[in-house]
Amino acid sequence: AYGINSILYQRGIYPPETFTRIQKYGLTLLVTTDCELKNYLNNVVEQMKEWLYKCIVQRLVVVISSIENNEVLERWQFDIECDKTINDQSAPREKSQKVIQEEIRSVIRQITATVTFLPLLETPCAFDLLIYTDKDLAVPEKWEESGPQFIANSEEVRLRSFTTTIHKVNSMVAYKRDSVP
Amino acid sequence: MEDLEENTTVFSTLRSLNNFISQRMEGMSGLATPGSTQSGLQSQYQQRMQLEEQAGQIHSKSQLLQVEREKMQMELSHKRARIELEKAANTNARNYEREADRNQELLTRIKQYQERETEAENKLKEQMEMNKSYKKSMETMSKKLQEKESKLAEANETITVLKGKISELQWNIMNQEMQMTSQDSQKKELMEQLDVQQKKWQEASQQIQTLQASQSLLAEYEQKIKDLEQKFSQQEHDALIVKNMKAELARFPKMERELRQVKEENAYFREMKENNGLLKEEVEGLQRKLERYEKVQAQLVTVELENEKLLGKLKNWEKLEQSTGLNIRTPDDLSRQIVALQQRELVLKEQNSTITNSARILEKARQQLQEEILRIQSQLLDEKKKREQHEALVRRLQKRVLLLTKERDGMRAILESYDSELTPSEHSPQLNRRMREAEDMVQKLHAHNTELEAQLSQVLEEVGNHKQRAEMLEVEMKVLKSQECTAEPSTIITKEEVATLRMKIEELEAERSKLEEENRSLEMKLEKLTLQGDYDPSRTKVLHFSMNPASLAKQQRKEEQQQLQEECERLRELVRVLEGGGSVPANLEGVGSFQSPQEIA
């Protein structure tokens, strides 16, 4: 959720005055104060936690599209590789909290740094969160199936990955290539 | 004055002295010349002495005078002081007398006043008594007065209360009268306003009627105006058309003339064009010929150069023929020789490669054999050690056997001796037991002996086996060493197989590389597609929250668009109505309300 908040702040999807600062992972991060948005993010994150525990989630995508023409301008994709051999009985794997936080911190710093080369978002935009799950999963209430929302003419950049010994997260960003080179 | 007078006397005496001295000096100067200087000097000295004495006298006199003056002054001052004192004393005495008189007068007055005081006191007492009596009467009177005053106060209160009531009533009456009057005035005003408003209403209705009539007239006029405008525009349009037609008509003969001229020019230009084309073709043909000639010249030059080169080569070939000493007359022979050489080279290379391969194989075999040799040598050493151990065991066992046989012989000798000794005596069963025990011992020893002999034989057999194996391995080593020397002829036999195998290997390697490249390209595509967000629909599906911000934003946008469109339509209707001066009641009220404040103002 902190990564998503960072993306929303950095890309200017919501006005900067609706964000407040908190300390997490040893960094000063910005999270939104808008109630509706917080509600939505909490709902999604709760569902994600459940699915992550069951190792059903394959990918989380933040899609940024223009409100006027519904064109997808940016796609932030987080691939999740889950170690399915783990279950409740197996011993907890040793990886220090500090190392995991260091890796998350580097990913969030990289998200902030990628803003420098991403094209400006001129038109008002909205975002959507897509979750790629196993095919045989029961669709819960309030969720629905949707398309993958590809970008037609895209440039892709791979970012750092981090692992908690059970899950490995690979991050990348795809953006629409500017028509003027 | 006396001092001044005294001073003047002194100054006068001094002047007289000076005059006398000057006279004497003149006299002396007149008398000095007849030569009696000494007497003159003495006389002068005496004169001087006299003068000095006189001066001293005068000085003392002046001092005396001064002292006397001072004394006089002192006496005068003394007198004055005395006089003043006497005056002061007199005045003091007079003052004293006056004060004494005054004191007496004051004393008399005091006495009078004291008498008066006593009289006043007496009167006071009498008056005090009178006052007390009067006070008593006053008290009684005051009590009566208070009673009367209280009664008066009550009466006054009642009066005030009644007065208050009266005033209130009067005030009420006044208020009511005022209200009546105000209401009457209001009524009058309202009636007046009513009349005014009725009049206004009548006027407004009249105006509205007039306005409606005027509006209808306006509408009619506007329609007429529009019709007239339309007609006017049509007429203008027709006029324009007529003008254009006239202009065109006027232009027509000119156009015909121009046409003729243009046709003539056209024909002329066509002829010219054809001529130009023909000329261009001729020019192109000539240019091509030129180019061909130039090419031919260049070719000639190159051909001559080639000719010279070929001649040179020929000479070289001829020289070669002389230099190489082979049967070369033509380049064909050279080429054949070269081909033959190349073939030989290829063959040699193949042989070389086969030989290298075989050498590698042989080296590998040699290394393997060396390793085996090492192993076998180690085994040999082990077996030798085992054999030595076994031989040592054998020796020990043989020694034991010897010892045991010796013991047995000894025991047998003992037994025989015992037998020889015992057979006559027929000794006790103990000796029999000992005999049996000795026999058992002997049997055990026999069994042990046989076991040891069996072990020995086994060991000997193993040793023999090991020896055989060692001999076999040595033989194999020799055979392999011999095989190394005889490897060459065998490779030639398998050369063809090796070549085929190699070809197969090369083909397989080519296929493998192609497959690897295809694999890489496919992986790249997969990577790119996964980066773009592709997924396998048979295994994954994409979910999102129904109430997500993008859809909410879209809904909001649609609602805004709809609202904007509705506002647009409303505004367009208003504009149309305003332009047309329509009959919608809302607009009329708006118009009426706009006009009435203007009238009131």
Side-chain angles (χ1 to χ4, degrees), chain B residues 326-357:
Chain B
L326 299 166
N327 256 340
I328 296 165
R329 280 183 205 162
T330 61
D332 293 332
D333 292 336
L334 227 191
S335 60
R336 268 179 245 153
Q337 293 249 340
I338 287 162
V339 164
L341 279 168
Q342 280 177 351
Q343 280 175 357
R344 264 190 237 165
E345 204 185 317
L346 279 167
V347 162
L348 285 166
K349 273 187 189 171
E350 282 178 11
Q351 283 178 4
N352 201 8
S353 58
T354 51
I355 286 158
T356 49
N357 281 330

mmCIF file of all heavy atoms in Angstrom, chain B residues 326-357:
data_model
loop_
_atom_site.group_PDB
_atom_site.id
_atom_site.type_symbol
_atom_site.label_atom_id
_atom_site.label_comp_id
_atom_site.label_asym_id
_atom_site.label_seq_id
_atom_site.Cartn_x
_atom_site.Cartn_y
_atom_site.Cartn_z
ATOM 1 N N LEU B 326 58.537 -27.965 -63.407
ATOM 2 C CA LEU B 326 57.478 -28.961 -63.597
ATOM 3 C C LEU B 326 57.007 -28.897 -65.030
ATOM 4 O O LEU B 326 57.366 -27.991 -65.786
ATOM 5 C CB LEU B 326 56.303 -28.654 -62.666
ATOM 6 C CG LEU B 326 56.621 -28.692 -61.180
ATOM 7 C CD1 LEU B 326 55.499 -28.040 -60.416
ATOM 8 C CD2 LEU B 326 56.825 -30.130 -60.725
ATOM 9 N N ASN B 327 56.106 -29.840 -65.382
ATOM 10 C CA ASN B 327 55.585 -29.885 -66.747
ATOM 11 C C ASN B 327 54.466 -28.896 -66.923
ATOM 12 O O ASN B 327 53.336 -29.241 -67.182
ATOM 13 C CB ASN B 327 55.064 -31.292 -67.029
ATOM 14 C CG ASN B 327 55.992 -32.070 -67.898
ATOM 15 O OD1 ASN B 327 56.823 -31.460 -68.598
ATOM 16 N ND2 ASN B 327 55.918 -33.374 -67.882
ATOM 17 N N ILE B 328 54.790 -27.526 -66.803
ATOM 18 C CA ILE B 328 53.724 -26.543 -66.875
ATOM 19 C C ILE B 328 53.907 -25.743 -68.140
ATOM 20 O O ILE B 328 54.892 -25.040 -68.333
ATOM 21 C CB ILE B 328 53.762 -25.607 -65.667
ATOM 22 C CG1 ILE B 328 53.483 -26.413 -64.368
ATOM 23 C CG2 ILE B 328 52.722 -24.502 -65.789
ATOM 24 C CD1 ILE B 328 53.831 -25.702 -63.132
ATOM 25 N N ARG B 329 52.939 -25.858 -68.996
ATOM 26 C CA ARG B 329 52.955 -24.998 -70.185
ATOM 27 C C ARG B 329 51.790 -24.036 -70.201
ATOM 28 O O ARG B 329 51.871 -22.948 -70.730
ATOM 29 C CB ARG B 329 52.880 -25.886 -71.440
ATOM 30 C CG ARG B 329 54.255 -26.477 -71.765
ATOM 31 C CD ARG B 329 54.248 -27.273 -73.008
ATOM 32 N NE ARG B 329 55.335 -28.250 -72.960
ATOM 33 C CZ ARG B 329 55.406 -29.323 -73.726
ATOM 34 N NH1 ARG B 329 54.437 -29.574 -74.582
ATOM 35 N NH2 ARG B 329 56.451 -30.150 -73.641
ATOM 36 N N THR B 330 50.687 -24.477 -69.725
ATOM 37 C CA THR B 330 49.484 -23.629 -69.712
ATOM 38 C C THR B 330 48.998 -23.422 -68.273
ATOM 39 O O THR B 330 49.329 -24.226 -67.393
ATOM 40 C CB THR B 330 48.358 -24.271 -70.529
ATOM 41 O OG1 THR B 330 48.079 -25.517 -69.906
ATOM 42 C CG2 THR B 330 48.736 -24.430 -71.939
ATOM 43 N N PRO B 331 48.213 -22.424 -68.090
ATOM 44 C CA PRO B 331 47.653 -22.246 -66.732
ATOM 45 C C PRO B 331 46.776 -23.391 -66.303
ATOM 46 O O PRO B 331 46.580 -23.644 -65.118
ATOM 47 C CB PRO B 331 46.799 -20.971 -66.854
ATOM 48 C CG PRO B 331 47.319 -20.277 -68.036
ATOM 49 C CD PRO B 331 47.918 -21.285 -68.972
ATOM 50 N N ASP B 332 46.195 -24.126 -67.286
ATOM 51 C CA ASP B 332 45.391 -25.294 -66.920
ATOM 52 C C ASP B 332 46.238 -26.281 -66.161
ATOM 53 O O ASP B 332 45.825 -26.840 -65.130
ATOM 54 C CB ASP B 332 44.828 -25.958 -68.174
ATOM 55 C CG ASP B 332 43.808 -25.053 -68.853
ATOM 56 O OD1 ASP B 332 43.177 -24.245 -68.128
ATOM 57 O OD2 ASP B 332 43.661 -25.145 -70.088
ATOM 58 N N ASP B 333 47.432 -26.474 -66.668
ATOM 59 C CA ASP B 333 48.322 -27.409 -65.974
ATOM 60 C C ASP B 333 48.572 -26.917 -64.567
ATOM 61 O O ASP B 333 48.541 -27.688 -63.593
ATOM 62 C CB ASP B 333 49.635 -27.531 -66.723
ATOM 63 C CG ASP B 333 49.441 -28.225 -68.064
ATOM 64 O OD1 ASP B 333 48.454 -28.983 -68.178
ATOM 65 O OD2 ASP B 333 50.259 -27.987 -68.968
ATOM 66 N N LEU B 334 48.823 -25.590 -64.463
ATOM 67 C CA LEU B 334 49.056 -24.994 -63.135
ATOM 68 C C LEU B 334 47.870 -25.248 -62.218
ATOM 69 O O LEU B 334 48.014 -25.689 -61.080
ATOM 70 C CB LEU B 334 49.265 -23.484 -63.282
ATOM 71 C CG LEU B 334 50.437 -22.838 -62.546
ATOM 72 C CD1 LEU B 334 50.298 -21.351 -62.598
ATOM 73 C CD2 LEU B 334 50.659 -23.327 -61.153
ATOM 74 N N SER B 335 46.684 -24.957 -62.841
ATOM 75 C CA SER B 335 45.496 -25.117 -61.997
ATOM 76 C C SER B 335 45.336 -26.545 -61.585
ATOM 77 O O SER B 335 45.004 -26.845 -60.433
ATOM 78 C CB SER B 335 44.261 -24.616 -62.762
ATOM 79 O OG SER B 335 44.110 -25.364 -63.935
ATOM 80 N N ARG B 336 45.591 -27.464 -62.552
ATOM 81 C CA ARG B 336 45.483 -28.877 -62.199
ATOM 82 C C ARG B 336 46.462 -29.249 -61.116
ATOM 83 O O ARG B 336 46.134 -29.948 -60.169
ATOM 84 C CB ARG B 336 45.769 -29.725 -63.455
ATOM 85 C CG ARG B 336 44.494 -30.071 -64.238
ATOM 86 C CD ARG B 336 44.833 -30.894 -65.469
ATOM 87 N NE ARG B 336 44.520 -30.150 -66.678
ATOM 88 C CZ ARG B 336 45.130 -30.315 -67.864
ATOM 89 N NH1 ARG B 336 46.118 -31.175 -67.992
ATOM 90 N NH2 ARG B 336 44.779 -29.591 -68.917
ATOM 91 N N GLN B 337 47.668 -28.740 -61.309
ATOM 92 C CA GLN B 337 48.688 -29.023 -60.286
ATOM 93 C C GLN B 337 48.228 -28.480 -58.935
ATOM 94 O O GLN B 337 48.338 -29.124 -57.894
ATOM 95 C CB GLN B 337 50.005 -28.355 -60.679
ATOM 96 C CG GLN B 337 50.648 -28.921 -61.908
ATOM 97 C CD GLN B 337 51.921 -29.653 -61.540
ATOM 98 O OE1 GLN B 337 52.475 -29.436 -60.495
ATOM 99 N NE2 GLN B 337 52.362 -30.533 -62.420
ATOM 100 N N ILE B 338 47.706 -27.229 -59.023
ATOM 101 C CA ILE B 338 47.272 -26.598 -57.757
ATOM 102 C C ILE B 338 46.148 -27.403 -57.143
ATOM 103 O O ILE B 338 46.127 -27.643 -55.920
ATOM 104 C CB ILE B 338 46.830 -25.144 -58.011
ATOM 105 C CG1 ILE B 338 48.063 -24.258 -58.282
ATOM 106 C CG2 ILE B 338 46.077 -24.576 -56.798
ATOM 107 C CD1 ILE B 338 47.721 -22.965 -58.934
ATOM 108 N N VAL B 339 45.198 -27.824 -58.008
ATOM 109 C CA VAL B 339 44.071 -28.625 -57.490
ATOM 110 C C VAL B 339 44.598 -29.887 -56.859
ATOM 111 O O VAL B 339 44.176 -30.301 -55.770
ATOM 112 C CB VAL B 339 43.083 -28.921 -58.626
ATOM 113 C CG1 VAL B 339 42.152 -30.043 -58.244
ATOM 114 C CG2 VAL B 339 42.282 -27.665 -58.946
ATOM 115 N N ALA B 340 45.550 -30.509 -57.617
ATOM 116 C CA ALA B 340 46.104 -31.743 -57.068
ATOM 117 C C ALA B 340 46.769 -31.482 -55.734
ATOM 118 O O ALA B 340 46.588 -32.229 -54.759
ATOM 119 C CB ALA B 340 47.104 -32.315 -58.074
ATOM 120 N N LEU B 341 47.501 -30.371 -55.683
ATOM 121 C CA LEU B 341 48.179 -30.018 -54.421
ATOM 122 C C LEU B 341 47.164 -29.798 -53.316
ATOM 123 O O LEU B 341 47.330 -30.253 -52.179
ATOM 124 C CB LEU B 341 49.016 -28.749 -54.620
ATOM 125 C CG LEU B 341 50.403 -28.953 -55.287
ATOM 126 C CD1 LEU B 341 50.977 -27.607 -55.676
ATOM 127 C CD2 LEU B 341 51.338 -29.707 -54.398
ATOM 128 N N GLN B 342 46.084 -29.063 -53.708
ATOM 129 C CA GLN B 342 45.056 -28.791 -52.691
ATOM 130 C C GLN B 342 44.430 -30.074 -52.203
ATOM 131 O O GLN B 342 44.184 -30.266 -51.005
ATOM 132 C CB GLN B 342 43.983 -27.872 -53.286
ATOM 133 C CG GLN B 342 44.395 -26.414 -53.298
ATOM 134 C CD GLN B 342 43.352 -25.551 -53.953
ATOM 135 O OE1 GLN B 342 42.390 -26.066 -54.544
ATOM 136 N NE2 GLN B 342 43.515 -24.250 -53.869
ATOM 137 N N GLN B 343 44.168 -30.965 -53.180
ATOM 138 C CA GLN B 343 43.574 -32.239 -52.752
ATOM 139 C C GLN B 343 44.505 -32.970 -51.823
ATOM 140 O O GLN B 343 44.091 -33.507 -50.787
ATOM 141 C CB GLN B 343 43.288 -33.096 -54.001
ATOM 142 C CG GLN B 343 42.002 -32.659 -54.690
ATOM 143 C CD GLN B 343 41.797 -33.422 -55.973
ATOM 144 O OE1 GLN B 343 42.650 -34.235 -56.370
ATOM 145 N NE2 GLN B 343 40.684 -33.180 -56.644
ATOM 146 N N ARG B 344 45.794 -32.957 -52.242
ATOM 147 C CA ARG B 344 46.751 -33.614 -51.357
ATOM 148 C C ARG B 344 46.752 -32.971 -49.997
ATOM 149 O O ARG B 344 46.843 -33.625 -48.951
ATOM 150 C CB ARG B 344 48.154 -33.524 -51.977
ATOM 151 C CG ARG B 344 48.555 -34.745 -52.767
ATOM 152 C CD ARG B 344 50.020 -34.671 -53.127
ATOM 153 N NE ARG B 344 50.180 -34.747 -54.570
ATOM 154 C CZ ARG B 344 51.327 -34.422 -55.211
ATOM 155 N NH1 ARG B 344 52.356 -33.981 -54.555
ATOM 156 N NH2 ARG B 344 51.392 -34.554 -56.531
ATOM 157 N N GLU B 345 46.650 -31.614 -50.066
ATOM 158 C CA GLU B 345 46.646 -30.883 -48.780
ATOM 159 C C GLU B 345 45.447 -31.294 -47.936
ATOM 160 O O GLU B 345 45.560 -31.522 -46.726
ATOM 161 C CB GLU B 345 46.603 -29.380 -49.081
ATOM 162 C CG GLU B 345 47.149 -28.528 -47.953
ATOM 163 C CD GLU B 345 46.966 -27.057 -48.266
ATOM 164 O OE1 GLU B 345 47.209 -26.648 -49.420
ATOM 165 O OE2 GLU B 345 46.555 -26.313 -47.371
ATOM 166 N N LEU B 346 44.252 -31.351 -48.632
ATOM 167 C CA LEU B 346 43.039 -31.746 -47.902
ATOM 168 C C LEU B 346 43.216 -33.117 -47.308
ATOM 169 O O LEU B 346 42.882 -33.364 -46.136
ATOM 170 C CB LEU B 346 41.833 -31.743 -48.833
ATOM 171 C CG LEU B 346 41.188 -30.380 -49.098
ATOM 172 C CD1 LEU B 346 40.235 -30.484 -50.263
ATOM 173 C CD2 LEU B 346 40.469 -29.876 -47.866
ATOM 174 N N VAL B 347 43.739 -33.986 -48.154
ATOM 175 C CA VAL B 347 43.909 -35.358 -47.675
ATOM 176 C C VAL B 347 44.831 -35.378 -46.485
ATOM 177 O O VAL B 347 44.561 -36.030 -45.468
ATOM 178 C CB VAL B 347 44.456 -36.210 -48.846
ATOM 179 C CG1 VAL B 347 45.063 -37.485 -48.351
ATOM 180 C CG2 VAL B 347 43.335 -36.492 -49.829
ATOM 181 N N LEU B 348 45.913 -34.615 -46.655
ATOM 182 C CA LEU B 348 46.868 -34.589 -45.549
ATOM 183 C C LEU B 348 46.239 -33.998 -44.303
ATOM 184 O O LEU B 348 46.480 -34.468 -43.193
ATOM 185 C CB LEU B 348 48.106 -33.777 -45.961
ATOM 186 C CG LEU B 348 49.051 -34.496 -46.934
ATOM 187 C CD1 LEU B 348 50.032 -33.531 -47.536
ATOM 188 C CD2 LEU B 348 49.770 -35.639 -46.254
ATOM 189 N N LYS B 349 45.437 -32.950 -44.516
ATOM 190 C CA LYS B 349 44.777 -32.343 -43.342
ATOM 191 C C LYS B 349 43.865 -33.314 -42.672
ATOM 192 O O LYS B 349 43.813 -33.417 -41.438
ATOM 193 C CB LYS B 349 43.978 -31.122 -43.788
ATOM 194 C CG LYS B 349 44.775 -29.847 -43.832
ATOM 195 C CD LYS B 349 43.854 -28.666 -44.120
ATOM 196 C CE LYS B 349 44.689 -27.449 -44.384
ATOM 197 N NZ LYS B 349 43.884 -26.329 -44.885
ATOM 198 N N GLU B 350 43.113 -34.072 -43.553
ATOM 199 C CA GLU B 350 42.220 -35.057 -42.962
ATOM 200 C C GLU B 350 43.028 -36.059 -42.183
ATOM 201 O O GLU B 350 42.700 -36.428 -41.056
ATOM 202 C CB GLU B 350 41.425 -35.754 -44.056
ATOM 203 C CG GLU B 350 40.278 -34.907 -44.557
ATOM 204 C CD GLU B 350 39.527 -35.608 -45.689
ATOM 205 O OE1 GLU B 350 39.786 -36.815 -45.898
ATOM 206 O OE2 GLU B 350 38.684 -34.956 -46.319
ATOM 207 N N GLN B 351 44.110 -36.500 -42.839
ATOM 208 C CA GLN B 351 44.936 -37.469 -42.134
ATOM 209 C C GLN B 351 45.440 -36.877 -40.838
ATOM 210 O O GLN B 351 45.459 -37.535 -39.790
ATOM 211 C CB GLN B 351 46.117 -37.868 -43.032
ATOM 212 C CG GLN B 351 45.721 -38.847 -44.118
ATOM 213 C CD GLN B 351 46.901 -39.169 -45.018
ATOM 214 O OE1 GLN B 351 48.036 -38.709 -44.783
ATOM 215 N NE2 GLN B 351 46.674 -39.969 -46.053
ATOM 216 N N ASN B 352 45.850 -35.612 -40.967
ATOM 217 C CA ASN B 352 46.358 -34.931 -39.769
ATOM 218 C C ASN B 352 45.314 -34.919 -38.663
ATOM 219 O O ASN B 352 45.597 -35.253 -37.498
ATOM 220 C CB ASN B 352 46.743 -33.498 -40.152
ATOM 221 C CG ASN B 352 47.714 -32.882 -39.175
ATOM 222 O OD1 ASN B 352 48.216 -33.586 -38.300
ATOM 223 N ND2 ASN B 352 47.959 -31.613 -39.326
ATOM 224 N N SER B 353 44.082 -34.519 -39.077
ATOM 225 C CA SER B 353 43.019 -34.437 -38.058
ATOM 226 C C SER B 353 42.739 -35.798 -37.475
ATOM 227 O O SER B 353 42.570 -35.949 -36.263
ATOM 228 C CB SER B 353 41.768 -33.821 -38.672
ATOM 229 O OG SER B 353 41.353 -34.592 -39.765
ATOM 230 N N THR B 354 42.695 -36.817 -38.404
ATOM 231 C CA THR B 354 42.426 -38.141 -37.867
ATOM 232 C C THR B 354 43.529 -38.549 -36.930
ATOM 233 O O THR B 354 43.278 -39.128 -35.868
ATOM 234 C CB THR B 354 42.345 -39.163 -39.014
ATOM 235 O OG1 THR B 354 43.506 -39.015 -39.834
ATOM 236 C CG2 THR B 354 41.093 -38.938 -39.859
ATOM 237 N N ILE B 355 44.750 -38.234 -37.347
ATOM 238 C CA ILE B 355 45.878 -38.643 -36.508
ATOM 239 C C ILE B 355 45.804 -37.937 -35.163
ATOM 240 O O ILE B 355 46.021 -38.550 -34.111
ATOM 241 C CB ILE B 355 47.210 -38.342 -37.223
ATOM 242 C CG1 ILE B 355 47.437 -39.349 -38.357
ATOM 243 C CG2 ILE B 355 48.374 -38.403 -36.254
ATOM 244 C CD1 ILE B 355 48.373 -38.853 -39.406
ATOM 245 N N THR B 356 45.493 -36.633 -35.215
ATOM 246 C CA THR B 356 45.393 -35.903 -33.937
ATOM 247 C C THR B 356 44.298 -36.490 -33.066
ATOM 248 O O THR B 356 44.456 -36.642 -31.849
ATOM 249 C CB THR B 356 45.107 -34.414 -34.179
ATOM 250 O OG1 THR B 356 44.018 -34.317 -35.090
ATOM 251 C CG2 THR B 356 46.304 -33.673 -34.699
ATOM 252 N N ASN B 357 43.134 -36.794 -33.724
ATOM 253 C CA ASN B 357 42.048 -37.397 -32.931
ATOM 254 C C ASN B 357 42.501 -38.689 -32.307
ATOM 255 O O ASN B 357 42.301 -38.938 -31.113
ATOM 256 C CB ASN B 357 40.838 -37.658 -33.817
ATOM 257 C CG ASN B 357 40.051 -36.389 -34.048
ATOM 258 O OD1 ASN B 357 40.046 -35.523 -33.187
ATOM 259 N ND2 ASN B 357 39.409 -36.282 -35.205
#
